[in-house]
Amino acid sequence: MTLVGVGLNKRFGQTVAAKDIPITLRTGTVHAIVGENGAGKSTTLRMLGGAIRPDSGEMTLDGLPYAPHSNFDATHRGVALVHQEITINRSLTVAENIFIGDLRRHAGPFGVLKRKQIAVAAQRSLDQIGVKISVNANISRLNLGELKCIEIARAISSNPNTLLLDEATAYLDHREVDAVLNVMQELKSKGMTIGFVSHHLSEVLAVADDLTILKDGQFVCSCSAASIEANEIHRLMVGRDVLHGIYPPRSLPPASAAAPALRAKKVAVGRELKEINLEVRHGEILGLAGLKGAGAEALFAGIVGDEPLRHGHLQIEGKDYYPSNPRAAWQNGIAHLPGDRGNEGLIVSFSVLDNLVMARPPAVGPFFSLARARAMSNKLIKLIGIRTSSAAAPCSSLSGGNMQKVVLGKCLAIVPGLLLLNNPTRGVDIGAREEIYRIMRQKTSEGLAILLSSEDMPELIGVADRLVVLRRGVVVHEFDSLENVEEHDIVQHMI
């Protein structure tokens, strides 16, 4: 089905999220929407998917008026939306999450669910996108990428004519991304219309037929994806060429002689991290590479006290450190940017100011100082380039990338000695990535130690000073330098 929007407008308070946006998703094609954070990509896709209603403008579906009141309404019209943030209910089973909007169809007499029937149908949807997730898996033990795959399976389970994917690949590793891109091509070949938002232009150019570029909530242009180069897309998105030089130069001299901010000796955490030895030195970025479940997230959980160490011990600044809980970690100068910003990094209903200062609220004596909090938050907003109408605006009004910047700002607000970054540029546009990398390098030049876990291989190669590769809970390779290292050099040790 061809889905058309004309003159779509949407405001959130004083923020103009979308202004007179025109877009046409042609039947049987993949249409990508690209732009910086806050450009209006997610807003446009959510209007098309019924998650929000436009303030003005018109939409048609195969030439007929289309004005869905909700996601549920859009789904019944054949339009399924996969949201940017994780929407899984961990108190439900995998199958129940996939059919959460349509459980009545699988109910027998007296409303009793036909669980076997649901399980078979749910497994079929999971298998369709080529991921190895069992419908019987304990959902509380699944990682973010697996949860996102469940959401994609949920969308496909409704047999839509139009599928809208908002940053659906942001939480996936390279194998899962390839599987989802292949599914998109397969669904397109069967006549499905697909709308796609991604900050990774390599993904966009691999699958997109058509392209719409947005900037600051306004339409820039639409064109055939085959008719435009990546460098030109970047220029139209951010107003300058950022394709080259996105990664700042590494620190000189190297941090090899600096004192370790963190030492891990024979550390094991949970089921994933079997044993690890490593050092993170002041003034360096140590990268962690590995597939999901290789041990990086478990290491972070052990360092911040989310999970107890099974054995081994940690040292911070040369002194034994026994992580008891995340609060104690923050008080010890360890800041943590988690992989799931919406559920773990922010309280999205709170203001930008509240989130920025919550880890270490400024005070005068025993009393919270609003004046100091305002000054601190305004400084961080300027430093990191958070796009918000004001520090008092709720985080729920921000784009996903700007939410990520708020989490980074909260980390920097405590002036940490050690910063743990779990995919810090997930869902962040290339211009904002450049700013985040600049800040990371600036802070390491001031002595900050950074432990960076990322599923983005170019990011690890571009910003890390050293790299440790994890596989099945142990270190399998170390790169003392990333000069002349290619992606395949790292991936061969991961699999």
Side-chain angles (χ1 to χ4, degrees):
M1 290 188 173
T2 296
L3 178 56
V4 178
V6 178
L8 300 180
N9 290 276
K10 188 64 184 180
R11 277 181 174 267
F12 296 103
Q14 298 299 312
T15 302
V16 178
K19 182 178 180 180
D20 294 329
I21 302 296
I23 189 165
T24 298
L25 276 59
R26 298 183 295 120
T27 301
T29 64
V30 176
H31 191 118
I33 307 175
V34 299
E36 290 187 280
N37 293 122
K41 307 181 300 298
S42 293
T43 299
T44 300
L45 216 61
R46 291 170 66 200
M47 288 190 288
L48 295 174
I52 55 176
R53 300 192 68 183
D55 297 330
S56 60
E58 296 181 350
M59 295 185 288
T60 60
L61 188 61
D62 258 9
L64 299 176
Y66 170 70
H69 298 282
S70 64
N71 276 148
F72 186 75
D73 189 15
T75 299
H76 277 265
R77 293 287 302 273
V79 179
L81 169 65
V82 178
H83 292 267
Q84 181 176 8
E85 303 299 330
I86 299 291
T87 60
I88 291 294
N89 186 331
R90 291 179 183 264
S91 65
L92 301 178
T93 66
V94 172
E96 288 168 346
N97 268 284
I98 289 176
F99 290 106
I100 193 168
D102 200 21
L103 288 175
R104 289 183 180 179
R105 183 161 59 92
H106 298 278
F110 308 107
V112 178
L113 292 179
K114 299 177 181 177
R115 296 194 176 276
K116 188 173 182 179
Q117 176 179 309
I118 293 177
V120 170
Q123 191 65 63
R124 188 183 306 119
S125 295
L126 288 167
D127 293 343
Q128 188 175 354
I129 60 174
V131 295
K132 295 180 180 179
I133 301 174
S134 170
V135 74
N136 298 314
N138 184 338
I139 202 165
S140 64
R141 294 181 177 177
L142 299 181
N143 60 49
L144 296 177
E146 290 167 325
L147 297 182
K148 181 55 69 174
C149 288
I150 291 172
E151 292 183 327
I152 297 172
R154 175 199 295 163
I156 292 175
S157 72
S158 65
N159 297 315
N161 297 305
T162 302
L163 178 63
L164 307 177
L165 301 171
D166 189 3
E167 291 287 355
T169 60
Y171 292 89
L172 310 183
D173 64 31
H174 70 279
R175 295 181 304 180
E176 293 164 337
V177 168
D178 289 343
V180 170
L181 296 182
N182 288 336
V183 168
M184 290 170 63
Q185 296 281 32
E186 181 182 344
L187 294 174
K188 181 184 78 170
S189 70
K190 296 178 180 178
M192 186 180 291
T193 304
I194 300 174
F196 181 49
V197 167
S198 174
H199 284 300
H200 295 281
L201 289 190
S202 59
E203 297 173 6
V204 168
L205 296 176
V207 297
D209 300 291
D210 301 322
L211 194 69
T212 291
I213 302 174
L214 304 180
K215 181 175 173 58
D216 298 327
Q218 299 188 55
F219 175 79
V220 175
C221 69
S222 286
C223 61
S224 163
S227 68
I228 190 168
E229 298 292 332
N231 195 35
E232 178 66 6
I233 297 172
H234 288 141
R235 188 188 66 78
L236 292 171
M237 284 169 50
V238 303
R240 66 187 191 282
D241 182 359
V242 295
L243 186 60
H244 303 291
I246 183 174
Y247 303 113
R250 291 181 170 86
S251 301
L252 290 175
S256 57
L262 168 73
R263 273 198 180 105
K265 297 183 178 180
K266 296 184 177 181
V267 167
V269 181
R271 298 184 306 164
E272 290 184 355
L273 191 64
K274 296 175 181 177
E275 186 170 289
I276 191 172
N277 295 286
L278 59 76
E279 289 185 355
V280 191
R281 304 168 189 134
H282 284 291
E284 78 164 348
I285 300 172
L286 176 63
L288 296 176
L291 300 176
K292 288 189 179 74
E297 289 195 343
L299 174 62
F300 281 14
I303 294 172
V304 301
D306 266 340
E307 287 194 46
L309 307 188
R310 283 197 291 111
H311 61 73
H313 71 278
L314 299 167
Q315 288 185 333
I316 296 292
E317 307 297 349
K319 298 179 181 179
D320 288 344
Y321 164 66
Y322 303 97
S324 54
N325 56 58
R327 181 180 179 184
W330 286 86
Q331 291 173 341
N332 276 276
I334 303 171
H336 177 215
L337 187 150
D340 185 356
R341 59 178 172 250
N343 291 315
E344 299 177 9
L346 295 169
I347 302 177
V348 294
S349 60
F350 282 20
S351 70
V352 172
L353 181 150
D354 290 335
N355 277 280
L356 286 172
V357 306
M358 68 169 56
R360 188 171 291 175
V364 175
F367 302 106
F368 174 75
S369 171
L370 181 58
R372 290 187 178 183
R374 285 172 175 162
M376 179 190 297
S377 60
N378 287 332
K379 181 180 179 180
L380 289 166
I381 288 169
K382 184 176 180 181
L383 172 69
I384 305 174
I386 301 169
R387 293 189 179 184
T388 177
S389 57
S390 75
C395 280
S396 58
S397 69
L398 305 182
S399 68
N402 280 294
M403 288 185 188
Q404 188 81 329
K405 291 181 182 180
V406 173
V407 184
L408 177 60
K410 180 180 73 172
C411 292
L412 298 179
I414 73 163
V415 192
L418 173 65
L419 176 58
L420 310 180
L421 298 177
N422 184 348
N423 289 282
T425 60
R426 175 179 281 158
V428 174
D429 66 74
I430 193 167
R433 283 172 178 243
E434 184 181 31
E435 288 300 302
I436 290 174
Y437 299 147
R438 178 189 60 78
I439 292 166
M440 290 168 62
R441 189 53 68 189
Q442 175 187 327
K443 293 301 177 182
T444 55
S445 71
E446 297 170 3
L448 178 64
I450 297 179
L451 187 57
L452 167 67
S453 173
S454 178
E455 290 151 14
D456 188 329
M457 293 297 108
E459 177 171 274
L460 287 172
I461 294 170
V463 301
D465 297 298
R466 296 187 295 124
L467 185 70
V468 170
V469 183
L470 299 174
R471 186 175 72 229
R472 297 178 181 175
V474 298
V475 175
V476 293
H477 194 79
E478 296 185 37
F479 293 90
D480 290 330
S481 169
L482 278 301
E483 296 296 331
N484 301 315
V485 172
E486 303 289 341
E487 287 187 49
H488 64 84
D489 297 324
I490 300 173
V491 172
Q492 68 177 338
H493 297 291
M494 292 166 50
I495 56 179

